[in-house]
Amino acid sequence: MKLTILGGAGMRTPLLIEGLFKQNDLYFKEVTLFDVDEERLSVMGSISQFLVDKYHGDFTLSFTTNIREAVRGADFIFSAIRVGQEEGRVLDEQIALKYRVLGQETTGPGGFAMGLRTIPVMLDYSRIINEEAPEAWLLNFTNPAGLMAQALTTYGKHKKVIGICDAHAGIKNSLCKFLKVPHTDLQVTYFGLNHLGWVPSVYEKGVDRLPEILDRYEHLSRISHTFRFFEPELIRNMGMLPNEYLYYFYYADQAVTNILQSNQTRGEQIVQLNRPLLERVSELVQQGRVEEAWADYKGTLDARGSTYMSRETTGQIHDVHEDEETVDLSFEEEGYEGLALNIIRSIANNKQQILTLNVPNNGTISQLHDDDVVEVPCLVNKNGYFPITIGDVPDFALSLIHPVKTYERFAVECAVKGDYQAGVNALTVHPLVPSFTSAKAMMDDYLAAHQEHLPQFRDKNINV
C-alpha cells in the first residue's frame, strides 16, 4: 500500500511516522510526504527517515513538493495542511480578540478565517486526487475539520473522504481509565458536529454506566483534566458528557477573559515554541546530528501538548496533567496518528470497528439535512463507513448544533465562491459572535489581513 501525507512538513509528521511502527498488521510499501514548503519538508523528512532507519522500516520514504507525484497511486491519503502557517493562526486569534470574541482556530471566527484560506486549496487537491488516485481514501485532519469535511463532501471532486478528529477517542480513553476497563469493553455513544459533541451513554456489558459516571463526576475530573473545565452542576443538569471544546461555548466570556489575562494567545505560544525548534533541528539535521534533532523535537512537542487549553481555562500556562490521577492503561487510538491508522486498519484489513467520524448525515440525526456533515459513530470495514442512526437529539444540544451548522453552511459557501455576504452571514449567526456589527468588522479585518491567501475574493469590488 502507498500512504501519502499532505502537509508533510507539519510538526506532527514524525509522530505519524513513528506511529506506523506501533502496529504489526499494516504493511506499507511506500510512504510519501508532500508539502509546499521545501526547506521545512527537508527537515521533517530527514527526521522521519531517521525514524524509518531506527525502527528498521521496510517501506520507502520519499518527499516531494509536487502534489500529483505525491498522490499518484496512493491507497490512503492523510491531510493535515496549514495555509498561512502558525502566523496566520495568530492573526485569526488577535483579530477576534480585538472585539472580545474567542478566536480559537477551529471554533468561531478563528476557524472561519482558517477555513477561508484552506478550503480552496483542499478542493484543488481533491480534484487532483480524483484524477491521480481515484480509489484512494482521503482522511482529513486539516483544521477546521468540520468545515473541511463539509466543503470536501459538498464541493470536492473526490468522494471517498472521511473527516477525522481524536477528541472522541480521548473521551473514551479517559472513561476507560476512570472505570478501569479495557478499551474494547466500552461502547461510548456520541453525536454532534466536530468540536461540538456530547456523550449520551456509556455501555459496558450491556449496562449504561453514564448515571454512575455523572454521580461521580468530581472523581472523573481528577482522572482527566478536560472534565475539570465544566462544573458538575452543568453536566448533571444536561445529563450528558461534553466534548472539551464545548467549554468555549458554555464559558465563552470566561475563556476570552482568561486569554486576555494571560497576555498571549495559544497561536503566539506555538510560534514561540515552533520557530526556535525548527531553527535548532534544522541546524542539527544539516550537521548530521539527526538523533539529537529527534530528541529535541520530541521533548518540545511533549511540553507543547501539556499546556493545551491551559490559558483559556485558567488564564495561566501550566501543565494540565500535573494533578491527574495515574491509571496504567494504553490504547490503540492514542493521539491523532493512532486514530488515523485505526481507520486504515479497518478498511485495509476489513477489521470491523465502530469509530466516530465526520461524515454526511443522511438521516443519522433526524433534525439535520442529509448533506450536513456530522460527527457520529460509524461501522468501518473494507466497504467504507456506515453511520449508526442517532435519531432525535436533545434540545439542549440542538440549541447549539443548529446555529453552528447554519454557520458552517454559510462559511463553506463564502470560502468556495468568494461570497462576502455569505461570510458576514456565517459570523452573524455563530453563537460566539455577539452582533452583526462585530461580524462585519471581523470579516473586513480577515479579508485585509489574509488577502494573499484569499484569491477567491479578488476582483469582487469589496471595500476593506
Side-chain angles (χ1 to χ4, degrees), residues 265-277:
T265 67
R266 175 65 172 176
E268 289 173 310
Q269 182 196 16
I270 295 301
V271 169
Q272 287 185 2
L273 288 171
N274 283 4
R275 290 308 167 193
L277 172 62

Side-chain angles (χ1 to χ4, degrees), residues 172 176 179-188 202-207 209 331:
K172 183 174 181 180
C176 289
L179 297 172
K180 297 181 180 178
V181 299
H183 194 268
T184 53
D185 286 2
L186 213 60
Q187 188 62 47
V188 179
V202 180
Y203 282 98
E204 184 203 6
K205 297 180 179 178
V207 176
R209 300 195 64 178
F331 307 102

